[in-house]
Amino acid sequence: MTLYIDPPTWPGHGRMWSHLISDLSFDELHAFAARLGAPPRAFDRDHYDVPSTSYGLAVRLGAREIGSKELVGLLVGAGLRRPKHERPTA
């Protein structure tokens, strides 16, 4: 099981955010997000939006810290990237 998280550098709603992904499956991603306490509404097509306040916990639970560009590359390489115009099926 490998989950990845980028630094909380994305502003929104008065907070800074990270993106949490899996390079294996959405099932793995959803299970990890549940352990992290991320609500289902935090799932956005192919990743979870994680507030900076949960970043440390995500890392302690096993998410690997990587840069944003590397994170997107892993999603594409795993075939899990879902562009904004595509509707999710899982």
Side-chain angles (χ1 to χ4, degrees):
M1 173 165 95
T2 306
L3 284 290
Y4 300 90
I5 193 165
D6 63 0
T9 57
W10 303 94
H13 308 286
R15 297 182 183 194
M16 298 303 283
W17 298 84
S18 294
H19 301 111
L20 177 71
I21 68 154
S22 166
D23 66 349
L24 179 64
S25 72
F26 291 115
D27 289 339
E28 176 186 52
L29 178 59
H30 295 314
F32 187 90
R35 287 181 48 221
L36 182 61
R41 70 180 179 276
F43 183 67
D44 186 12
R45 296 181 320 275
D46 54 15
H47 67 276
Y48 275 85
D49 293 321
V50 176
S52 60
T53 54
S54 297
Y55 183 85
L57 177 58
V59 172
R60 286 191 300 280
L61 290 174
R64 291 185 53 203
E65 300 169 277
I66 62 171
S68 299
K69 288 182 181 180
E70 188 179 3
L71 184 137
V72 172
L74 286 171
L75 272 176
V76 170
L80 297 174
R81 182 70 170 139
R82 291 178 171 165
K84 285 187 178 188
H85 65 274
E86 183 179 316
R87 292 219 175 251
T89 58

